[in-house]
Amino acid sequence: MTDNLGPLRQAMSDLAEHGGSTDMYERVLRKSRQSQRRTAVVAGAAAVFAVGGAVAYATANRPGPPTPGATQPPAPSAGPTSPATSAAPSRTPPSPNWTSNRPRYPGCPSAKTLERLADLPKGWYFVPSSVQCWKGWAMADPEGPTPGDGIYLFQYQAGKGWRYHSQGSAYQCQDLGITSGNPPFCQMD
Amino acid sequence: MPHSTDDLFGEFVRARSPALLRTAFLLTGDRHLAEDLVQDALARTHRGRHRLGDPGHFEAYTRTAMYHQHVSWWRRRRVAEFMPGELADVAQPGSDHARRTDLKLALHEALAQLTRRQRAVLVLRFFEDRSEAEAAELLHCSVGTIKSQTSKALARLRAMAPDLLAAVMEEA
């Protein structure tokens, strides 16, 4: 039933003229820079998390007598510890894993690691600099022989590690169960 | 003559924004939403401009981004911003132009009643003149889906706005 629809095409063309002809250049640059700044801040925060997590992990798994790291909060001792950010100190015996009461996020995986999880089409790969992490999420931009749009999303699952989540071009944070924060890969309502 | 990617991108935006806005208006049914949609899609292209390499890819990338953003970001925002006043202002009562304006108004309202995907399919097929295969590639779905969505969209237009389709057929 697609024949005889020339007038429909004409009507669509007429209607489309109402889109206007606003000069978008300055708006686009502003929006792009704003997004880049936001991404840079999030990437910086993720890097701090990753380094902090690595230091904490290395310290927690160090054999022998406790030797507190120079940059860490007061080391675990016989008495109860109450880090400044800990809302409710546990009464359980001191554990060598002093971060157990804090939210812990994994380090950011490499592009190669994510490629193994994503089953990309032939000739496609993830741009290493595009990999960004936010809490238990990682995103990566694919690049390949044809121009494409969208990102791949991965989620870290305790005990399972990184898992492919989905791909898309514009995620709604609420759809991912994210209701706060400023993730680089989705939009808050 | 521009040489840098930034210059080429600027030239692309200035030259193609009106065309992108026309498509975006059909997708969103609202001028401001259309500008937002185009702005976001172009911003994505700007961020990926160095990766895209060939400036000839700018438009394809931007249009793909537009359709995807439209389908996902606007999913809960039914096009409620009808602007019959704004469209009607263009009409010259009693003239042949008025008849075309009536047709536009009817189409505007009818498009707003379709699902976002149906609207996208109609815009791709009948405004951008894309083939079914091209539309399927752009929307990341099968050709069969495009066919069924087109058929459903036209049937729905016919049911919702019989006058519009009658006018279309009469003019044909």
Side-chain angles (χ1 to χ4, degrees):
Chain A
M1 197 59 201
T2 56
D3 51 326
N4 258 353
L5 291 178
L8 176 60
R9 294 174 200 267
Q10 181 60 52
M12 288 187 103
S13 187
D14 287 347
L15 181 60
E17 290 303 319
H18 291 273
S21 56
T22 310
D23 185 354
M24 303 294 294
Y25 188 62
E26 293 303 324
R27 285 179 60 172
V28 167
L29 288 191
R30 256 199 319 275
K31 172 80 179 178
S32 176
R33 286 173 186 148
Q34 181 187 25
S35 302
Q36 281 171 331
R37 273 198 302 273
R38 192 181 65 182
T39 302
V41 168
V42 172
V48 169
F49 263 122
V51 171
V55 169
Y57 181 81
T59 306
N61 288 291
R62 186 174 294 168
T67 51
T71 60
Q72 288 179 11
S77 63
T81 60
S82 56
T85 55
S86 177
S90 166
R91 281 289 172 194
T92 54
S95 155
N97 185 359
W98 60 272
T99 59
S100 60
N101 284 341
R102 301 171 179 220
R104 293 185 61 194
Y105 304 115
C108 212
S110 70
K112 288 285 170 209
T113 303
L114 297 180
E115 280 169 14
R116 284 194 288 273
L117 301 174
D119 193 22
L120 286 168
K122 193 167 185 247
W124 288 77
Y125 62 94
F126 287 133
V127 182
S129 61
S130 75
V131 177
Q132 292 177 49
C133 292
W134 184 84
K135 297 192 175 176
W137 296 87
M139 60 163 276
D141 270 338
E143 189 158 299
T146 57
D149 173 56
I151 57 165
Y152 277 67
L153 206 53
F154 302 84
Q155 189 174 23
Y156 186 84
Q157 297 171 6
K160 294 181 179 174
W162 287 101
R163 289 285 183 271
Y164 168 76
H165 182 275
S166 58
Q167 54 178 301
S169 65
Y171 285 97
Q172 203 74 30
C173 294
Q174 282 78 359
D175 293 344
L176 300 171
I178 300 170
T179 53
S180 62
N182 201 10
F185 47 81
C186 65
Q187 292 275 327
M188 290 288 182
D189 257 342
Chain B
M1 182 177 167
H3 289 294
S4 74
T5 306
D6 285 342
D7 288 341
L8 291 168
F9 179 78
E11 202 170 69
F12 160 72
V13 171
R14 293 199 167 97
R16 298 302 296 159
S17 284
L20 294 170
L21 285 167
R22 285 196 287 273
T23 300
F25 182 80
L26 288 177
L27 290 173
T28 62
D30 177 90
R31 194 162 176 164
H32 299 294
L33 287 178
E35 287 179 5
D36 287 348
L37 183 59
V38 171
Q39 173 189 298
D40 287 350
L42 284 171
R44 287 183 72 89
T45 308
H46 181 254
R47 290 198 297 278
R49 66 196 182 283
H50 296 298
R51 278 193 296 114
L52 288 171
D54 182 357
H57 292 156
F58 287 166
E59 178 138 5
Y61 188 89
T62 305
R63 285 191 181 271
T64 304
M66 256 173 62
Y67 279 101
H68 287 191
Q69 283 179 345
H70 165 67
V71 167
S72 51
W73 286 9
W74 270 260
R75 71 180 68 183
R76 291 191 202 84
R77 302 177 195 175
R78 296 281 301 171
V79 181
E81 295 88 346
F82 291 93
M83 299 189 300
E86 184 175 313
L87 293 178
D89 287 342
V90 182
Q92 303 295 319
S95 67
D96 194 45
H97 186 56
R99 178 178 162 74
R100 283 179 69 169
T101 301
D102 287 345
L103 201 60
K104 274 193 298 188
L105 272 172
L107 180 63
H108 188 220
E109 292 187 14
L111 283 177
Q113 301 301 313
L114 300 179
T115 67
R116 64 196 181 280
R117 191 174 284 275
Q118 286 171 344
R119 210 156 51 233
V121 168
L122 285 190
V123 172
L124 279 168
R125 295 283 288 117
F126 303 119
F127 178 66
E128 291 198 10
D129 279 331
R130 303 272 191 154
S131 68
E132 287 169 338
E134 288 171 333
E137 192 180 340
L138 233 152
L139 293 178
H140 288 184
C141 63
S142 68
V143 171
T145 302
I146 296 295
K147 284 180 179 173
S148 66
Q149 291 286 309
T150 305
S151 169
K152 282 178 189 167
L154 289 176
R156 207 163 166 195
L157 277 185
R158 240 174 259 121
M160 284 185 310
D163 291 346
L164 168 69
L165 267 291
V168 165
M169 294 309 167
E170 192 182 318
E171 285 205 2

